Amino acid sequence: MTRLAMASLRSRGVSLLACFVSIFLGATIITGFSSLLDTASGSGVSDADSGTLVTMASVVGGWGLIIVLFAVSSTLGITVRQRASELALLRTIGATNSQVRALVRRETAVVAVVASALALVPGWLLGRWILSLVVSADMVDDAVEHRFTVPTMVVLVVAMLVVSLVAATLATRRATSGRANEALGGSVSLGNRMGRLRVVAGLVALLIGASLSTLTLVLPKTDDPFGVMMTAGPASIFWALGLALWSPWLLKGFVSVVGRPLAVLGVPVHLAVANARHRTIQLSTTLMPIIIMTGIGTGTIYLVAIQNSITTHADVDSKSIAALNYIVIGMVTVFAAIMVVNTLVAATNDRRREFASQRLIGSTTGDITASVATEGALLAVTGIVFGGLASLGTIIPFALVQTDEWLPDDGPWIFIGIAAVAAILTLGTSVVAARRAVRAPAIETVLAA
Amino acid sequence: MTDQPAVELQAVSKTFGDESTGVRALDGVDLALADGSFTAIMGPSGSGKSTFLNCAAGLESITSGDVRIAGQSIAGWDDTELTKFRRKQVGFVFQGFNLIPYLTAEQNVALPLKLARRRSSPRRVRELLESVGMAERRGHLPSELSGGQQQRVALARALVTDPAVIFADEPTGALDTTSARAVLELLRTSAHDLGQTIVMVTHDPVAAAVADSVVYLVDGRIVGTMAHPSADAVAAQLAHLDDFTAVAR
């Protein structure tokens, strides 16, 4: 029992850590760009400089905010779901729904305040660094001084607190619906049906992506080399978003194509294919960040590479544009990595009981690890293929307009590198999580439920 | 059927923790269960019922003594050896059903054969599902089945490898009376018609009465047995287990 309690604490620690890291990194990025807003309102900053800084802070900071909202609500959702039976137990002994929600909100509030307060210093440093990039690109005057004021800090911490509390409220709503004794059973959720909202949102994102790709091709070419980037750059972001939202369908389609031929490879593969087919909604929580990371990463890096190839002498201007692009990619990649690891660890922990049942009917721990690794491979391949397709929404139109060729000269190596990162992350996490999940004796796990 | 017992425990002891200060969950248990027999293990909470089952099934190592299944001693085997042995010789039915949630009833029953790399004959799987009355629902997932139906699929899964013994741990604990009766009836027919050896741990006298004999366990020791039990007799005996303990001491 002690071992079980320790295991529960450890997994709780991991998921709270994921939540903490999401808020901390998100707050760092938002702090960095918010300090540019402070800087813009400093005395002696010209209207033009102020405009440049505000635009940049709003665009990049805005994307950061969306990613943070997504990541925090996802990680919190997992934390709450892992505690579903504990929360149900509280309800059976007399806690009301609002008391349960208040408990989770309070825990989240503590994590949010600590994480965003700790993020102020790295955020301040990030802001200084971004300003130095912008200054060296001659986008603003050398005399502009970096500023970061106390009121902004307070607003930031409060804002992160509010965002986290909204995420916590959304996350607990499902845990407190339905009857407590049903939730206590903690049955494993299966699901293939996508909500209507999700289908529509995916369609809208894909349509925006398609129109941005088309606009890149048909808009008249201007003297401003960065004008084309304004439509080509976001195209792959929307393509990736749309495909990510539709990822349960993509996974189901992919598995039904490769499933039958693969299943002859043995029982672990047979089980992995069956699981992927029946749990597409749950597995898509891992698939989404893989598609987004691969799509946005590949699209943006090739965009910068194409731009650099046509600028004969790499001027400072394009260097700092490149730097800003890399900041966005880095941000997306780190958050995607956190979400991949977090969702995989949570999904694997949820299956401890099922793994134990498998072992009692004759699966070795090696069989189970192989099965989970196969699922990881299915997810990685699906995510890389569709992420790669999404990136073409940026690459093809931009290459056609700028170089009259379909694809850039740089070859496939950038894409292969990003795909390798995604694959190693997914497979590595799957194997480590599966090993941890089968460490306890099977019989204890089955009887403890 | 052979004369060799399907399951045999010889002077089995199991101590949790330190040899001298730890808890003795099993204390010199001797028991031989004939091939095709249906035995219920009863006793109060903490009597060592679960430990008995875990040790007899090779899920937990024993401190001393010997456990033989189908004539083969399994004491001292490592986890992988035991897993491979279980594939062929041991079936399980638990209170919580423990079906794989994303496999259909039919796929769940076929899984132990696949794991043992044996040819899974669709006909055998279907016959077994038929014999537990689940042929019509073979394409359903566990979440689409009632508790009683899931337990019947679990029983078919335990039978599919034709194991030396099936261990059932409170198989009716989570079922309503009607479903429980159906599952118990299936256990009895498996033993009597198919010659399947079954060991069932339970604290329900009605369930125990379905077995051929009842073994009473108190403080890790066998304190009595009852052949051809009836629910009333089992319950009466349970109420007087203190007498047994007094004798044993």
Side-chain angles (χ1 to χ4, degrees):
Chain A
M1 271 306 151
T2 314
R3 188 187 289 171
L4 203 74
M6 289 306 288
S8 144
L9 268 178
R10 253 206 311 268
S11 64
R12 176 87 40 86
V14 168
S15 52
L16 265 187
L17 180 73
C19 184
F20 175 88
V21 173
S22 311
I23 298 177
F24 175 78
L25 285 176
T28 304
I29 291 158
I30 293 170
T31 303
F33 283 94
S34 306
S35 74
L36 294 190
L37 291 178
D38 259 351
T39 308
S41 62
S43 59
V45 179
S46 71
D47 282 355
D49 284 356
S50 164
T52 309
L53 288 170
V54 169
T55 307
M56 213 170 59
S58 320
V59 172
V60 187
W63 274 114
L65 201 62
I66 292 172
I67 296 171
V68 171
L69 264 173
F70 200 43
V72 172
S73 60
S74 154
T75 48
L76 264 180
I78 289 168
T79 317
V80 169
R81 200 163 46 78
Q82 282 180 335
R83 298 173 60 181
S85 56
E86 179 208 323
L87 298 179
L89 184 66
L90 282 174
R91 286 169 66 203
T92 59
I93 59 171
T96 63
N97 278 343
S98 56
Q99 281 173 322
V100 170
R101 287 196 204 116
L103 171 79
V104 176
R105 271 202 304 271
R106 248 168 252 171
E107 290 176 3
T108 312
V110 173
V111 176
V113 169
V114 172
S116 48
L118 286 175
L120 288 175
V121 172
W124 174 70
L125 291 171
L126 180 72
R128 283 178 64 103
W129 181 63
I130 296 169
L131 184 66
S132 73
L133 279 179
V134 175
V135 166
S136 69
D138 284 335
M139 289 164 81
V140 298
D141 195 78
D142 290 353
V144 174
E145 292 268 336
H146 185 253
R147 276 180 80 218
F148 190 31
T149 61
V150 174
T152 310
M153 295 180 196
V154 175
V155 168
L156 274 170
V157 174
V158 172
M160 290 307 290
L161 179 65
V162 170
V163 166
S164 308
L165 287 180
V166 169
T169 308
L170 290 175
T172 43
R173 209 157 53 172
R174 198 184 300 169
T176 51
S177 66
R179 298 216 316 267
N181 56 351
E182 282 169 8
L184 257 185
S187 65
V188 184
S189 62
L190 287 173
N192 279 329
R193 283 195 62 79
M194 274 168 54
R196 196 172 298 164
L197 189 68
R198 185 168 179 174
V199 174
V200 173
L203 184 66
V204 169
L206 289 175
L207 287 176
I208 295 176
S211 46
L212 285 171
S213 298
T214 319
L215 279 177
T216 311
L217 286 172
V218 299
L219 279 186
K221 221 174 159 178
T222 56
D223 286 342
D224 180 8
F226 304 113
V228 201
M229 277 191 171
M230 297 296 278
T231 53
S236 61
I237 299 181
F238 281 100
W239 279 106
L241 213 57
L243 291 179
L245 285 165
W246 280 10
S247 59
W249 283 345
L250 307 180
L251 181 64
K252 204 171 185 192
F254 183 73
V255 170
S256 59
V257 171
V258 301
R260 205 166 276 275
L262 276 184
V264 300
L265 290 176
V267 194
V269 181
H270 161 71
L271 288 174
V273 167
N275 187 35
R277 191 172 284 163
H278 290 296
R279 281 210 191 121
T280 48
I281 296 283
Q282 208 205 359
L283 290 177
S284 76
T285 57
T286 308
L287 191 49
M288 284 200 289
I290 304 176
I291 293 178
I292 287 174
M293 175 168 106
T294 314
I296 299 179
T298 311
T300 313
I301 294 182
Y302 276 110
L303 180 89
V304 173
I306 295 168
Q307 185 62 38
N308 286 347
S309 72
I310 56 165
T311 337
T312 41
H313 55 96
D315 51 6
V316 199
D317 224 26
S318 57
K319 261 191 196 155
S320 60
I321 288 281
L324 278 178
N325 273 316
Y326 291 139
I327 293 177
V328 176
I329 298 165
M331 192 162 84
V332 169
T333 310
V334 169
F335 276 102
I338 293 173
M339 283 170 67
V340 167
V341 171
N342 195 34
T343 52
L344 276 176
V345 169
T348 314
N349 277 343
D350 281 355
R351 293 176 62 189
R352 271 169 202 255
R353 234 190 94 163
E354 177 212 322
F355 293 153
S357 311
Q358 283 194 41
R359 284 169 69 194
L360 291 184
I361 59 169
S363 286
T364 60
T365 53
D367 287 336
I368 291 168
T369 310
S371 177
V372 175
T374 309
E375 275 169 40
L378 283 174
L379 289 175
V381 171
T382 315
I384 289 165
V385 166
F386 288 101
L389 286 178
S391 73
L392 293 180
T394 288
I395 297 172
I396 292 181
F398 194 69
L400 274 176
V401 169
Q402 301 290 57
T403 65
D404 285 329
E405 280 172 42
W406 285 85
L407 291 171
D409 301 330
D410 304 80
W413 292 108
I414 299 175
F415 172 63
I416 291 174
I418 292 174
V421 171
I424 290 169
L425 194 66
T426 314
L427 274 176
T429 312
S430 296
V431 171
V432 172
R435 288 234 171 115
R436 273 172 45 128
V438 295
R439 212 163 39 189
I443 187 68
E444 281 177 24
T445 315
V446 166
L447 296 181
Chain B
M1 285 197 203
T2 58
D3 292 340
Q4 175 187 301
V7 181
E8 195 174 6
L9 279 76
Q10 292 169 344
V12 170
S13 291
K14 171 74 184 177
T15 309
F16 289 102
D18 194 30
E19 184 71 43
S20 52
T21 59
V23 180
R24 270 215 148 177
L26 288 182
D27 193 356
V29 170
D30 282 302
L31 188 65
L33 302 171
D35 205 4
S37 64
F38 182 5
T39 313
I41 309 286
M42 294 202 82
S45 296
S47 59
K49 292 192 303 273
S50 293
T51 313
F52 170 85
L53 188 118
N54 296 345
C55 291
L59 295 170
E60 219 162 274
S61 64
I62 54 177
T63 312
S64 64
D66 194 13
V67 175
R68 289 170 174 273
I69 295 177
Q72 212 164 353
S73 168
I74 60 167
W77 286 15
D78 73 20
D79 191 57
T80 308
E81 286 171 323
L82 281 170
T83 303
K84 290 185 174 159
F85 182 76
R86 279 203 299 269
R87 279 177 186 166
K88 298 193 190 89
Q89 300 292 11
V90 183
F92 287 102
V93 179
F94 283 99
Q95 181 175 354
F97 321 135
N98 290 319
L99 296 177
I100 308 299
Y102 46 84
L103 295 182
T104 62
E106 194 170 22
Q107 288 173 324
N108 260 293
V109 175
L111 187 59
L113 292 176
K114 292 195 176 218
L115 285 169
R117 273 91 180 165
R118 273 154 70 174
R119 276 182 65 83
S120 71
S121 137
R123 227 183 79 208
R124 172 154 174 78
V125 171
R126 259 178 226 175
E127 278 168 7
L128 276 171
L129 280 169
E130 187 114 23
S131 71
V132 297
M134 291 297 296
E136 316 229 303
R137 318 208 111 216
R138 61 172 184 267
H140 290 249
L141 293 172
S143 56
E144 299 160 347
L145 302 174
S146 72
Q149 291 172 332
Q150 289 186 54
Q151 196 62 302
R152 284 189 268 159
V153 175
L155 180 60
R157 185 177 69 181
L159 286 165
V160 76
T161 54
D162 198 12
V165 56
I166 288 181
F167 290 102
D169 191 2
E170 303 280 3
T172 56
L175 300 179
D176 61 88
T177 336
T178 318
S179 309
R181 201 171 301 145
V183 166
L184 289 170
E185 196 48 48
L186 280 170
L187 284 170
R188 177 154 64 182
T189 48
S190 305
H192 291 179
D193 300 353
L194 307 174
Q196 177 63 59
T197 314
I198 296 175
V199 180
M200 173 174 68
V201 166
T202 183
H203 58 245
D204 177 7
V206 177
V210 181
D212 301 332
S213 62
V214 178
V215 172
Y216 291 95
L217 210 59
V218 175
D219 293 339
R221 267 177 285 198
I222 293 177
V223 293
T225 56
M226 180 188 282
H228 314 296
S230 72
D232 287 343
V234 172
Q237 191 70 275
L238 266 184
H240 294 99
L241 275 178
D242 288 350
D243 304 347
F244 273 143
T245 337
V247 174
R249 275 173 187 155

